[in-house]
Amino acid sequence: MTHVTGFLAAVADAKKEAYIDHARRAWPIFRDYGAIAMKECWGVNVPDGEVTSFPMAVKKEDGETVVFSWIEWPDQASAETCWASMESDPRWKEMPAEMPFDGKRMIFGGFDVIVEG
């Protein structure tokens, strides 16, 4: 069953290019662990909400943009193998030490695809 790992984060506008570089460098590693596709999406119409919203969920600050991304996997086991590799695959350590966003405000989770169009 296809599995998706989804992410939501706030990225400083000034770090957009660093974020894109980070994502491009990570893709080959994800692909080597079986990822089928990866999408990185820069928010252009992400309104604030009154009760909840994407900006509220990541505690977006002035000068930041909400980024919505996902990785498609053939199954949950492939995703879990990739995440476990972060402790052992030396390519992860070659990534820049400083993340181009605040990881404490990132939201992520794994989902099994139940309807596909």
Side-chain angles (χ1 to χ4, degrees), residues 1 4 18 28 48 62 72 99-100:
M1 173 181 289
V4 173
D48 290 321
D62 288 341
E72 185 178 346
M99 299 289 280

Side-chain angles (χ1 to χ4, degrees), residues 7-11 19 58 65-69 101-102 105-107:
F7 306 89
L8 190 65
V11 178
Y19 182 85
V58 295
T65 296
V66 175
V67 173
F68 177 59
S69 57
F101 58 91
D102 181 357
R105 293 186 286 142
M106 180 176 71
I107 299 169

Side-chain angles (χ1 to χ4, degrees), residues 21-23 25-27 29 90-98:
D21 181 61
H22 180 83
R25 291 179 67 166
W27 168 242
I29 305 171
R91 294 177 294 173
W92 292 115
K93 294 186 181 18
E94 295 169 6
M95 298 286 288
E98 184 178 331

Side-chain angles (χ1 to χ4, degrees), residues 30-51:
F30 292 140
R31 185 184 57 225
D32 287 351
Y33 282 95
I36 298 165
M38 180 180 80
K39 305 290 183 190
E40 295 287 344
C41 307
W42 192 261
V44 294
N45 184 17
V46 186
D48 290 321
E50 290 185 30
V51 177

